[in-house]
Amino acid sequence: MADMRQINDFAVRWYDKFRDPKINYIELVDHHMADDCDALGFEMDCGKSFEETYGAAVHNYEELDNIIDTVTDIKLLGSAIYSMWRYFNHWAYTGEEILDFKNRSWFILALSRLSVLTGETPFIFKGKPKKIRIVSNCMGYGPCPEPNDIVEQHITINSEGRVWFSAYAFGDSFGKYEKAQTKNYKIEKAVAENILQKVATYFSDEYDEIFATDIGNWEMDITNTEGKVYKFRGSLCANFEVDGVDISDLIRDSLEIEDLYVFDGSFKPDKVNRITVDYHRITKIKPKQPISGDASFVTWDYTEQLIIDRETESIEHIQNIGTYCTISHKYKVQDGVVELLDDLDADYLFEYIEDNPSDVIVTPNETKQYTITIDYKKNPQRVIKGIYDKKGLPDDFADFAEKVFSFMRFYGFGEILNPSIYGKVKRHKNDYIFCSVAFDNGHKSYYYITDDDSIEVGDFVLVTAGGDNHIATVEVVNIEYFSEENVPLPVDKTKRIIRKCTEEDFNL
């Protein structure tokens, strides 16, 4: 078998080919890989040797991912790569199947491991980052760009805060882009170091890559402080995050260039950062006795405000009922509020309002109006105003209101004023636990006995019911403790709760 350096060169070269989103499948299934494998002494045994040790991992990406770190036999792994390649070269319905995500990912995993076993891989970053260079090209299938359309961007950032940015236009379509914009400037060193560290952290480990042939691609070099360059590439649809921070967005925000392609092409849907709903009702009430000679009505000026904010991860509901009477509830829920906002379709939220026809009857002495203010991550602020009724509100407002109300209702009003909490007494050692349970087909409750102190009001439990003692699911609506002489029913004639319901019971 060839020396380690030759095998490492083979692994790195073919690893890079399989990660190239624009590669033609012919280049992968042509005879060149077979020539390389033969020269390195790998055997094409249809994967039998590898399968004897690792089973389905010989052809299954998920299985290979589970065991790849345990593979140490270089010749065995090389022969598995040769055999897998031979399938697409010779037996597959079409060699183009080698580009399918699961197949391409199998080769990437195997070749990456082979490069690690035979030397250092340039596709997993090591060291401290000194500089990154990203080239993002948005050319994909579709209409040909106009000469002035920007199709490629180059960004270089170093640890001192120096930034070099260039944008290239499509030009005359003769294969050479035209430089359309150049910007060299400096950002704070700490900001630059934060970018480099986030990028280095993400690419210090292997990552799953999405391959697409109908969009652009990106290539990146990371140079460490020792001068070694690590190379990465992928399709322009990658969402890379470190500690919840989107790296593409971090670079855009830090460089203050909103339309950077970076890794995701800036094609991600927008997000809602904040929604404020202001409700204003004015009601004129005619008292039985006039207040004064000049005033026939009493005016009730009532307002509500709902604020959902991503930055503070909070929902606040404020009611201004009248002078010196304000009620507010604030829900600060880490991740929960963010998920609620992320669940909203920012591009189409509150897009359509039917509006009331001209002949509707207006409620006398009362007006109800609203203002909805939406702050987006990318797009400018949007303000919607109208009459607060079904046709005056956006058609998807009811769905939005239900989501928010369910979120708030989930947290309830706590336990301080809950009679089931402050009214609960401790059970004596010899007391019997009688649970009143309700079936879903009636309002009447029935006593059942239990020894399970963990059962609470609102729990669902399994019981036997009816003359045939069939199993039923019931809700516990009350819990009482009785000494033996005070039990409401004879203990030996009262049925017992089987147990609390589990998730599997509900699924059934």
Side-chain angles (χ1 to χ4, degrees):
M1 191 171 65
D3 64 32
M4 295 298 101
R5 182 181 180 86
Q6 290 175 311
I7 299 175
N8 186 263
D9 289 343
F10 161 83
V12 169
R13 185 170 70 258
W14 282 97
Y15 178 92
D16 194 37
K17 287 179 181 290
F18 275 96
R19 293 186 67 157
D20 183 354
K22 299 301 181 182
I23 197 166
N24 189 299
Y25 81 95
I26 296 295
E27 189 172 346
L28 297 178
V29 299
D30 207 355
H31 64 88
H32 301 298
M33 177 174 268
D35 296 342
D36 288 349
C37 288
D38 287 333
L40 295 173
F42 297 148
E43 297 179 7
M44 202 298 291
D45 64 349
C46 297
K48 292 179 181 178
S49 300
F50 195 84
E51 187 175 16
E52 288 175 1
T53 306
Y54 300 107
V58 70
H59 56 73
N60 183 280
Y61 158 64
E62 288 84 1
E63 294 293 332
L64 182 66
D65 193 26
N66 290 333
I67 60 91
I68 191 65
D69 290 337
T70 67
V71 178
T72 57
D73 191 324
I74 295 171
K75 186 174 181 179
L76 184 67
L77 181 57
S79 296
I81 293 169
Y82 191 179
S83 300
M84 184 70 161
W85 170 87
R86 178 63 171 165
Y87 170 79
F88 297 103
N89 167 267
H90 189 70
W91 289 294
Y93 178 75
T94 169
E96 195 168 4
E97 293 176 16
I98 201 171
L99 292 178
D100 291 351
F101 172 78
K102 60 181 181 180
N103 299 324
R104 195 198 291 240
S105 297
W106 189 97
F107 281 102
I108 288 173
L109 270 176
L111 289 162
S112 175
R113 180 61 178 172
L114 188 61
S115 69
V116 170
L117 292 174
T118 56
E120 188 174 0
T121 173
F123 305 108
I124 298 178
F125 179 77
K126 293 182 179 180
K128 184 177 180 181
K130 182 180 181 181
K131 179 177 67 175
I132 61 171
R133 181 177 183 270
I134 305 170
V135 176
S136 306
N137 186 299
C138 71
M139 288 292 291
Y141 298 148
C144 183
E146 295 294 326
N148 293 328
D149 288 347
I150 301 299
V151 295
E152 188 168 282
Q153 297 172 339
H154 297 200
I155 310 164
T156 300
I157 308 168
N158 71 15
S159 57
E160 296 299 318
R162 297 295 306 175
V163 177
W164 294 265
F165 168 74
S166 299
Y168 294 82
F170 185 63
D172 57 15
S173 76
F174 289 115
K176 186 175 181 180
Y177 300 147
E178 296 178 358
K179 185 176 286 189
Q181 184 183 355
T182 299
K183 185 178 181 182
N184 301 333
Y185 59 107
K186 189 174 177 63
I187 59 176
E188 291 184 15
K189 183 178 180 180
V191 174
E193 289 178 341
N194 183 42
I195 295 173
L196 267 59
Q197 190 55 52
K198 288 285 193 298
V199 171
T201 298
Y202 189 89
F203 290 96
S204 293
D205 196 3
E206 293 183 10
Y207 64 95
D208 291 331
E209 192 171 319
I210 298 175
F211 301 99
T213 57
D214 57 347
I215 60 175
N217 60 86
W218 58 268
E219 297 180 2
M220 177 175 63
D221 294 346
I222 309 179
T223 306
N224 67 14
T225 51
E226 297 177 356
K228 186 169 180 59
V229 179
Y230 295 81
K231 296 179 177 294
F232 305 88
R233 69 199 313 173
S235 299
L236 206 59
C237 58
N239 294 319
F240 298 144
E241 287 191 4
V242 174
D243 299 330
V245 177
D246 185 290
I247 298 178
S248 293
D249 287 340
L250 173 65
I251 295 175
R252 291 187 191 100
D253 295 341
S254 300
L255 271 55
E256 298 184 351
I257 305 177
E258 294 183 359
D259 55 355
L260 284 179
Y261 298 148
V262 204
F263 305 113
D264 59 17
S266 192
F267 301 130
K268 289 183 299 191
D270 203 356
K271 290 185 177 182
V272 174
N273 276 344
R274 181 183 173 98
I275 293 182
T276 304
V277 182
D278 288 293
Y279 171 74
H280 189 189
R281 172 172 58 80
I282 296 178
T283 304
K284 292 184 177 180
I285 304 169
K286 189 172 184 178
K288 293 181 179 180
Q289 298 293 329
I291 297 175
S292 67
D294 298 328
S296 302
F297 294 92
V298 174
T299 300
W300 183 10
D301 193 337
Y302 172 83
T303 64
E304 281 187 51
Q305 187 177 58
L306 177 71
I307 305 169
I308 309 174
D309 184 65
R310 180 183 297 273
E311 182 178 357
T312 60
E313 299 192 69
S314 65
I315 296 178
E316 191 168 9
H317 179 222
I318 305 167
Q319 294 173 270
N320 291 303
I321 296 175
T323 306
Y324 308 120
C325 185
T326 300
I327 300 170
S328 66
H329 297 87
K330 190 168 185 176
Y331 305 79
K332 188 173 178 62
V333 183
Q334 185 176 7
D335 297 332
V337 174
V338 171
E339 289 179 8
L340 178 67
L341 289 171
D342 284 346
D343 195 40
L344 302 176
D345 191 336
D347 294 331
Y348 298 100
L349 181 66
F350 302 153
E351 184 180 43
Y352 176 73
I353 301 174
E354 182 178 351
D355 216 347
N356 287 293
S358 58
D359 62 343
V360 296
I361 298 175
V362 178
T363 304
N365 299 327
E366 186 174 74
T367 60
K368 296 178 181 178
Q369 297 178 317
Y370 72 88
T371 300
I372 301 175
T373 306
I374 310 174
D375 294 296
Y376 298 94
K377 184 176 181 62
K378 294 191 289 189
N379 289 323
Q381 186 185 77
R382 182 168 165 234
V383 178
I384 310 166
K385 296 184 178 183
I387 305 300
Y388 199 87
D389 60 28
K390 182 175 178 59
K391 292 189 176 182
L393 285 160
D395 62 346
D396 54 345
F397 185 82
D399 293 335
F400 164 78
E402 176 58 30
K403 286 179 181 177
V404 178
F405 183 61
S406 295
F407 184 97
M408 297 163 66
R409 184 173 52 196
F410 175 80
Y411 296 97
F413 290 95
E415 299 182 356
I416 290 178
L417 304 178
N418 188 338
S420 68
I421 302 297
Y422 66 71
K424 188 174 182 178
V425 297
K426 295 291 185 182
R427 181 171 71 94
H428 293 288
K429 183 177 181 180
N430 295 321
D431 282 352
Y432 289 95
I433 307 174
F434 276 76
C435 295
S436 298
V437 304
F439 291 78
D440 60 4
N441 57 355
H443 299 289
K444 187 177 179 181
S445 63
Y446 300 85
Y447 274 129
Y448 278 78
I449 292 178
T450 185
D451 296 323
D452 188 350
D453 266 312
S454 70
I455 293 176
E456 298 180 350
V457 173
D459 284 345
F460 285 88
V461 295
L462 295 181
V463 298
T464 57
D468 59 352
N469 283 330
H470 64 275
I471 304 297
T473 302
V474 295
E475 182 181 3
V476 178
V477 296
N478 192 26
I479 299 176
E480 298 171 88
Y481 305 135
F482 296 100
S483 61
E484 187 172 5
E485 59 271 18
N486 292 322
V487 293
L489 294 173
V491 173
D492 58 347
K493 294 184 179 180
T494 306
K495 293 185 176 182
R496 289 184 169 270
I497 290 174
I498 300 172
R499 59 174 171 80
K500 285 199 289 187
C501 287
T502 65
E503 198 68 37
E504 292 182 358
D505 295 322
F506 289 119
N507 292 336
L508 291 173

